[in-house]
Amino acid sequence: SQQGEEDPQALSIQEGENATMNCSYKTSINNLQWYRQNSGRGLVHLILIRSNEREKHSGRLRVTLDTSKKSSSLLITASRAADTASYFCATSNTGKLIFGQGTTLQVKP
Amino acid sequence: NAGVTQTPKFQVLKTGQSMTLQCAQDMNHNSMYWYRQDPGMGLRLIYYSASEGTTDKGEVPNGYNVSRLNKREFSLRLESAAPSQTSVYFCASERGAETQYFGPGTRLLVL
């Protein structure tokens, strides 16, 4: 069963705009992670936020976590065409990761 | 470092045939995982191995077997392939119960 549900399923923006994608989950977690998948490739880890953290930054990425609402958001600022990919949230509780269905982001040049 | 490697990259099977998907990592990670990815379904865990010599079922283990041959290698076997096993299979290894590193995937088509 899927733990995380992502919203929107698909997002199309212009280069330079910001992209926000959301993830909701059902049970308590130790951490929440975001991964990127380029078409036809494996997943690449982007950022991890622990359950006792509320916000984390990495370059153009900003992740927030609201454990009371069981939700997280990933913000990509000043998007580039190279950011076109699918983005997955994954929650960890028992050591195994449970992935959401992903958000497909298209950044138009 | 090659990271996580998978072979083959693509395979076509007929229903009832068997095959083994190979995975190897050179990062000295203890934990390794097999996932399948279907359109609109995200990744689902098939089997995992927390350490050499141990394996455990994930969310969708039926129709699969695994072997943790040594610390580096974790193979996935389909004994009698079915069309429902048409999917993209990813192997991953894990550092410190947090970040997972994924291989490039094996695309399997079962006719």
Side-chain angles (χ1 to χ4, degrees):
Chain A
S1 62
Q2 300 288 343
Q3 158 84 308
E5 301 217 351
E6 296 177 65
D7 172 61
Q9 290 188 341
L11 181 60
S12 181
I13 59 174
Q14 294 294 134
E15 208 166 25
E17 293 181 339
N18 295 341
T20 299
M21 49 205 88
N22 304 294
C23 171
S24 61
Y25 57 92
K26 300 173 184 174
T27 63
S28 62
I29 61 171
N30 292 329
N31 65 65
L32 186 145
Q33 305 178 34
W34 286 89
Y35 287 79
R36 184 187 74 229
Q37 183 180 35
N38 290 91
S39 181
R41 308 292 291 274
L43 278 72
V44 175
H45 181 262
L46 293 176
I47 194 165
L48 178 151
I49 186 165
R50 302 184 194 284
S51 60
N52 62 352
E53 297 176 311
R54 292 296 168 260
E55 187 171 312
K56 204 161 183 180
H57 296 256
S58 176
R60 294 184 295 113
L61 305 180
R62 172 179 168 251
V63 170
T64 61
L65 179 64
D66 186 334
T67 53
S68 66
K69 295 181 179 178
K70 291 186 170 60
S71 68
S72 174
S73 67
L74 171 67
L75 168 68
I76 303 173
T77 60
S79 64
R80 306 166 181 169
D83 294 327
T84 293
S86 293
Y87 292 81
F88 294 89
C89 68
T91 54
S92 175
N93 183 2
T94 59
K96 299 186 295 262
L97 289 181
I98 302 177
F99 287 83
Q101 295 178 358
T103 293
T104 299
L105 172 66
Q106 182 185 27
V107 181
K108 299 176 183 177
Chain B
N1 288 349
V4 179
T5 58
Q6 292 183 237
T7 56
K9 291 183 179 179
F10 183 71
Q11 183 73 46
V12 180
L13 292 178
K14 295 181 180 178
T15 296
Q17 287 186 318
S18 63
M19 78 162 294
T20 299
L21 284 67
Q22 306 285 354
C23 173
Q25 53 95 5
D26 60 3
M27 296 174 283
N28 202 35
H29 291 167
N30 287 321
S31 299
M32 297 184 73
Y33 302 81
W34 276 105
Y35 296 91
R36 60 177 289 173
Q37 184 178 34
D38 302 296
M41 294 292 291
L43 274 77
R44 292 183 292 170
L45 182 64
I46 305 171
Y47 270 94
Y48 67 101
S49 171
S51 62
E52 185 179 352
T54 68
T55 61
D56 285 288
K57 295 178 180 179
E59 181 186 354
V60 289
N62 291 346
Y64 306 95
N65 285 302
V66 290
S67 295
R68 184 74 182 267
L69 304 170
N70 47 57
K71 193 170 186 178
R72 290 187 65 250
E73 298 171 289
F74 188 38
S75 63
L76 178 71
R77 182 160 178 85
L78 287 70
E79 291 292 351
S80 180
S84 61
Q85 294 178 304
T86 292
S87 189
V88 182
Y89 291 86
F90 288 99
C91 176
S93 68
E94 186 173 73
R95 178 191 73 184
E98 294 186 344
T99 305
Q100 291 193 9
Y101 295 82
F102 284 79
T106 293
R107 283 148 185 78
L108 177 64
L109 175 62
V110 183
L111 302 174

